[in-house]
Amino acid sequence: MTRIGIVAEASGENRVAATPATVAKIIALGYEVAVEAGAGAASSFPDAAFADAGATVTDGDTAWSSDVVLKVNPPTPAEIDRLADGATLIGLLSPALRPDLVEALATRGITALAMDAVPRISRAQSMDVLSSMANISGYRAIVEASHEFGRFFTGQVTAAGKVPPAKVLVAGAGVAGLAAIGAASSLGAIVRATDPRPEVADQVRSIGGEYLEVIVADEDKQVSADGYAKATTEAYDRRAAEIYSEQAADVDIIVTTALIPGRQAPRLITAADVASMQPGSVIVDMAAAQGGNVEGSVAGERIVTDNGVIILGYTDLAGRLPAQASQLYGTNLVNLLKLLTPAKDGELTIDFEDVVQRSVTVVRDGESTWPPPPVQVSAAPKPAADAAAEASPVKKSWLTPGVKTGLIALGIAALFLVSAVAPAPLPQHLTVLTLSVVVGFYVISKVTHALHTPLMSVTNAISGIIIVGAIVQLTAPELPVQILAGIAVLVASINVFGGFAVTRRMLAMFQKGATR
């Protein structure tokens, strides 16, 4: 039986790669689990809880010598030496930023899977560690900022005076940025956000933020093809810098989250911007580990500038909520193990035909497989396809103005012919039907598409007027007619009341959206 080892992290890391809840799920896949003693202590998971879940609590050497080792942070050279020959290591390896680590792992003849290389496709969302950790980090960034900030986030009117709400700027509206926006907005702050991807504007507004669009003339809007923001143009950067300078002089708190995979963090907030902020203002640089978005931030440290602005460069924001972070990280690992153990027989297999497994595999049996082939995740059409569509000839419609006129004349002639030969009262009914069709067409065509559903539902309700005829037939002397009339009343009642109920619900939804 394959043994999976859960090892203790180095000093300063409070997370652990598995929790008692996820250990039970790993055992259900057919694996044996060995947990290093004290591995979960910093996350409030005692050894007894792991033992109750079915794991074996053992020493570090036994855990490290397992067939599969689960870890949080990249291993040190000394930790790599503790791995067994042919073992599989799974953790946050940052292969794009640490080629030396990839080389060191390849020389050992092992297999290494990077959890931070999971492609951002729908099928892999349950394994996306970067998103789950970024969500926690964004929330924690606001908690840290509120701890340093000397005032309320929400505005208040008290007997002692009026307290204005805090103003928060979030640079970057990815997973971390959206979590920060939601946390700050829930605390009552005025929140603004920037991002080069225009598709996030609605997401920002939906959680209470204001989207600050960077408008650059004659420039295409950025569309993400892999779920991450791309490097921006010089024109965009100049305009964005102007916005950051304007906002820095106005806001109380800035949270920066801008990162580009495999590259140094872009510089967004300059020293001049920091100098323009009021004393007591707070900046949380969530990109400090990769060089920082803020000039003057230091990775892992709290800095106070000459003008009293506090810059937090903490790199362990997710680890400051260790129990929650470990649970989410452990769940991401379990979902990956489910993919790698399709038979649930405790045998780990890697299939390079699967884009997810290929993307996360950094080293396989001592051979470096990094970088993987690119994965296209955007549904946006390719430029070539657009060009081909533009070049293709436009098909002409057969419904020319002359044909339309002919059809109208034919319809009028047919109406007059039927009216001339049909017995009364058919001509009158046919005339009413024709006029209702024409009027209904022009009325409905003028209604916006968003209101078509409530319009159709209320139309169904009005059409339930046939219930009147059914009620009249309830008094008919024939029993079959009474039965059919009763069924008609029931069905028509459902149509009437259901139509008005749907209309009311739809209109209430539109009203709620309009008030946000």
Side-chain angles (χ1 to χ4, degrees):
M1 181 182 293
T2 302
R3 186 177 72 205
I4 292 183
I6 312 298
V7 297
E9 300 296 323
S11 177
E13 177 57 74
N14 296 325
R15 294 172 292 178
V16 64
T19 68
T22 62
V23 162
K25 296 179 180 179
I26 294 174
I27 294 175
L29 294 175
Y31 293 103
E32 175 188 346
V33 179
V35 179
E36 182 178 352
S43 299
S44 301
F45 298 119
D47 293 340
F50 286 107
D52 293 341
T56 301
V57 179
T58 182
D59 58 89
D61 292 335
T62 302
W64 276 100
S65 62
S66 300
D67 304 300
V68 181
V69 175
L70 304 184
K71 204 176 181 306
V72 178
N73 290 325
T76 64
E79 289 174 335
I80 294 176
D81 293 337
R82 301 179 71 180
L83 292 168
D85 295 335
T88 298
L89 174 68
I90 306 178
L92 297 170
L93 305 181
S94 302
L97 299 176
R98 304 191 61 175
D100 55 330
L101 174 62
V102 176
E103 183 180 355
L105 292 170
T107 58
R108 279 300 318 278
I110 64 174
T111 298
L113 307 181
M115 290 300 295
D116 45 350
V118 173
R120 285 193 166 174
I121 59 178
S122 299
R123 185 166 60 87
Q125 286 183 351
S126 62
M127 310 167 223
D128 191 353
V129 171
L130 291 181
S131 292
S132 59
M133 295 300 102
N135 183 33
I136 297 174
S137 297
Y139 172 85
R140 184 68 190 195
I142 295 299
V143 173
E144 295 292 339
S146 64
H147 174 69
E148 298 286 353
F149 191 53
R151 294 194 286 108
F152 291 136
F153 265 50
T154 184
Q156 292 189 6
V157 178
T158 69
K162 182 178 179 181
V163 179
K167 298 178 182 178
V168 179
L169 173 67
V170 178
V175 176
L178 291 173
I181 294 168
S185 178
S186 65
L187 289 174
I190 297 174
V191 187
R192 304 159 186 165
T194 63
D195 195 281
R197 297 163 292 185
E199 63 265 27
V200 306
D202 289 338
Q203 301 175 31
V204 171
R205 298 187 188 102
S206 68
I207 54 179
E210 176 189 355
Y211 179 68
L212 303 178
E213 184 178 5
V214 179
I215 301 176
V216 181
D218 300 328
E219 181 174 318
D220 293 334
K221 295 183 181 297
Q222 184 181 120
V223 177
S224 175
D226 58 2
Y228 298 94
K230 302 295 183 183
T232 51
T233 64
E234 293 184 3
Y236 180 95
D237 292 341
R238 285 195 299 270
R239 177 56 190 143
E242 295 173 358
I243 293 178
Y244 290 134
S245 298
E246 296 167 359
Q247 293 298 316
D250 182 51
V251 300
D252 305 298
I253 296 170
I254 297 177
V255 177
T256 63
T257 70
L259 282 174
I260 300 173
R263 298 179 57 177
Q264 288 290 103
R267 183 59 50 82
L268 304 180
I269 307 299
T270 65
D273 297 334
V274 176
S276 68
M277 299 182 72
Q278 296 296 319
S281 299
V282 182
I283 301 176
V284 183
D285 188 354
M286 295 183 62
Q290 290 182 219
N293 299 139
V294 181
E295 186 174 357
S297 68
V298 179
E301 295 188 16
R302 174 185 183 272
I303 303 296
V304 180
T305 65
D306 294 338
N307 62 320
V309 176
I310 302 170
I311 304 177
L312 305 179
Y314 298 150
T315 58
D316 61 341
L317 290 171
R320 292 177 179 237
L321 293 172
Q324 184 69 76
S326 298
Q327 182 61 47
L328 294 182
Y329 181 73
T331 301
N332 294 141
L333 283 173
V334 168
N335 291 327
L336 177 63
L337 290 173
K338 288 180 180 178
L339 181 65
L340 301 177
T341 320
K344 297 183 180 180
D345 55 356
E347 294 297 328
L348 189 144
T349 58
I350 298 178
D351 179 12
F352 268 20
E353 295 299 321
D354 186 339
V355 65
V356 177
Q357 299 182 45
R358 176 63 186 91
S359 297
V360 300
T361 305
V362 177
V363 177
R364 185 176 188 181
D365 298 329
E367 180 182 353
S368 175
T369 59
W370 184 264
V375 179
Q376 184 78 14
V377 303
S378 176
K382 296 181 180 179
D386 292 340
E390 292 176 2
S392 62
V394 178
K395 294 183 179 180
K396 295 183 178 180
S397 174
W398 63 271
L399 199 62
T400 61
V403 174
K404 289 182 180 180
T405 303
L407 291 175
I408 292 173
L410 182 62
I412 294 174
L415 178 62
F416 276 110
L417 179 63
V418 172
S419 299
V421 300
L426 184 59
Q428 291 90 336
H429 294 330
L430 186 60
T431 303
V432 172
L433 175 62
T434 303
L435 292 176
S436 64
V437 169
V438 173
V439 173
F441 172 79
Y442 283 103
V443 169
I444 294 177
S445 64
K446 300 300 182 181
V447 176
T448 179
H449 295 290
L451 293 176
H452 275 183
T453 298
L455 175 65
M456 292 305 297
S457 60
V458 75
T459 302
N460 287 339
I462 296 174
S463 67
I465 195 172
I466 62 172
I467 194 174
V468 176
I471 292 174
V472 172
Q473 295 299 321
L474 285 174
T475 60
E478 296 84 1
L479 180 61
V481 175
Q482 294 177 0
I483 295 175
L484 292 176
I487 296 174
V489 170
L490 175 63
V491 175
S493 298
I494 295 174
N495 206 32
V496 172
F497 295 110
F500 280 118
V502 172
T503 301
R504 182 177 180 181
R505 183 176 299 178
M506 291 293 297
L507 293 178
M509 183 183 70
F510 285 120
Q511 290 172 353
K512 185 183 296 183
T515 57
R516 286 182 176 178

